[in-house]
Amino acid sequence: MTVHFYDVGQGLAALVDLPAGGHVLVDTGDQPRRPGCGDPCAAADEHLIARLREDLGGAPIDLVWITHQHSDHIGGAEAVFDAVSVRAYVDNGRDGAHPEVRKARRAARDHGAVVGVIDPGHADLPLATRAVVTAATADVTMTPIVPDRWPSSCESDANDCSIALRIDFGASSVLFTGDAQHEEEAR
């Protein structure tokens, strides 16, 4: 298992190369044309896409995992779907009316990816998503980590609605927590 962490400015984008040949992308960095960001966001997005193409070598991404709906984590999703093949997409199911969330989910569906939700009521990979990524994740355990209920602060701060992902292979593991804050971490 290899993890590539990409410099996307403030946000996160990490590609996990799985031993059976599968790939999981956790978050997608910021949108390339976010108002107020300009050239830095565009350059970060170009860097991410170039590195993904190089590191994937034409292989698909089996799962795009969005930890939460802040622009620096979900904003680059549309560009990722336009650049590389993606088989499945999950997010926390929140803020469906937000333009960036709508763009990400629409891009996933338009490119034929299975779309799923991980939240306190659905703390396991959705069945359709699991079916898509099973062969790619042989010998690996992927565990969604969410609280039993969203903290009250989740209503006003998307950080507190982060869905974490733990990936285990042999004696190694990696934990992606998004921007979970103290109250959510405590749960």
Side-chain angles (χ1 to χ4, degrees):
M1 182 168 72
T2 302
V3 182
H4 307 265
F5 293 94
Y6 302 113
D7 181 357
V8 292
Q10 175 180 316
L12 174 69
L15 179 69
V16 183
D17 297 336
L18 303 172
H23 304 279
V24 176
L25 179 64
V26 178
D27 289 339
T28 61
D30 215 332
Q31 64 173 297
R33 292 167 299 285
R34 180 173 58 83
C37 187
D39 290 340
C41 282
D45 185 70
E46 288 175 21
H47 171 74
L48 172 63
I49 298 305
R51 292 301 310 272
L52 283 173
R53 285 181 172 146
E54 179 181 327
D55 292 338
L56 289 166
I61 295 173
D62 296 284
L63 176 62
V64 169
W65 181 280
I66 301 296
T67 59
H68 66 291
Q69 273 73 333
H70 275 156
S71 180
D72 59 332
H73 293 260
I74 194 173
E78 187 175 32
V80 167
F81 279 100
D82 287 343
V84 298
S85 176
V86 177
R87 300 177 67 208
Y89 166 94
V90 297
D91 65 26
N92 65 11
R94 300 186 59 85
D95 303 323
H98 192 278
E100 288 179 26
V101 176
R102 281 197 328 264
K103 280 188 217 175
R105 292 177 185 164
R106 183 177 55 242
R109 285 189 298 275
D110 288 352
H111 287 84
V114 174
V115 176
V117 170
I118 299 289
D119 64 15
H122 307 92
D124 195 5
L125 285 176
L127 186 57
T129 305
R130 195 173 330 130
V132 168
V133 300
T134 297
T137 59
D139 299 324
V140 171
T141 303
M142 293 189 349
T143 308
I145 300 174
V146 295
D148 58 347
R149 67 184 187 285
W150 293 125
S152 58
S153 56
C154 180
E155 293 301 319
S156 60
D157 185 356
N159 288 338
D160 278 335
C161 309
S162 292
I163 54 173
L165 176 63
R166 179 178 170 151
I167 302 175
D168 292 283
F169 173 66
S172 299
S173 66
V174 62
L175 177 64
F176 299 97
T177 61
D179 288 340
Q181 303 293 307
H182 177 71
E183 186 179 351
E184 184 179 6
E185 285 180 351
R187 288 180 184 230

